Amino acid sequence: MKTSHLILTGASVLALGLGGMAVAQTRSSVSNQPIGYGADTGELTNTAVSLRGRAEITQGDTRLRANAIEGVRDASGGLTRIEATGEVYYVTPNETIRGDRAIYTVSNATVVVTGDVILTQGQNVLTGGSLSYNVDTGQARIQGGTSANGGRVRGVFYPQGAD
């Protein structure tokens, strides 16, 4: 199966949306901030956290929401790896990423979302099968989907001021 690849950074997505004018973005380090969590039901052990029903992980001004979230804890109780399944949304102040499954690896500040991925930034929309997103830099790498959509990355970018 042939796949398409597209690499975007927060600034390049913004530049495309502004008709090619690059605008510098300042981002704060999200991965160093505390991780909070909540759900309808949950279980916490020395090595894991399990959340079910409106499960949500927050870190800084970002949010990972899904039907279920499983987290792996280190010896100090901190989360090191988080896996979200079922109606997954990763939301930042500038982007929303939707998919069927996500894995957030805290040590490299990366969220990988798979399964009919949709990335939106304002009116701009990008779709594919798998997206890797760095929570600190905003850099995103999207790959094509299944053969049903031709294994292609697709998108629509609106110039600034377009309706």
Side-chain angles (χ1 to χ4, degrees), residues 11-24 160:
S12 66
V13 171
L14 187 57
L16 287 170
L18 299 176
M21 292 177 42
V23 175
Q160 183 179 7

Side-chain angles (χ1 to χ4, degrees), residues 26-151:
T26 58
R27 299 183 70 94
S28 62
S29 179
V30 173
S31 63
N32 292 333
Q33 296 184 22
I35 297 174
Y37 43 90
D40 292 337
T41 62
E43 182 179 346
L44 182 65
T45 68
N46 289 339
T47 59
V49 61
S50 178
L51 306 170
R52 299 273 185 259
R54 296 184 301 168
E56 183 174 74
I57 298 283
T58 59
Q59 189 174 34
D61 53 5
T62 65
R63 183 176 67 242
L64 176 63
R65 190 183 73 204
N67 294 337
I69 295 176
E70 302 290 328
V72 176
R73 299 175 70 197
D74 62 16
S76 67
L79 290 170
T80 59
R81 182 177 186 275
I82 300 164
E83 183 173 343
T85 55
E87 298 181 41
V88 173
Y89 288 87
Y90 183 77
V91 181
T92 77
N94 300 313
E95 297 93 15
T96 299
I97 303 166
R98 189 248 174 261
D100 299 325
R101 182 173 185 245
I103 296 176
Y104 175 31
T105 307
V106 178
S107 63
N108 65 7
T110 302
V111 175
V112 177
V113 181
T114 57
D116 296 322
V117 176
I118 302 169
L119 167 64
T120 59
Q121 183 184 55
Q123 286 185 294
N124 301 327
V125 179
L126 194 59
T127 64
S130 174
L131 180 134
S132 178
Y133 181 84
N134 184 290
V135 302
D136 289 335
T137 65
Q139 182 177 13
R141 177 185 176 102
I142 191 162
Q143 296 182 5
T146 63
S147 58
N149 75 354

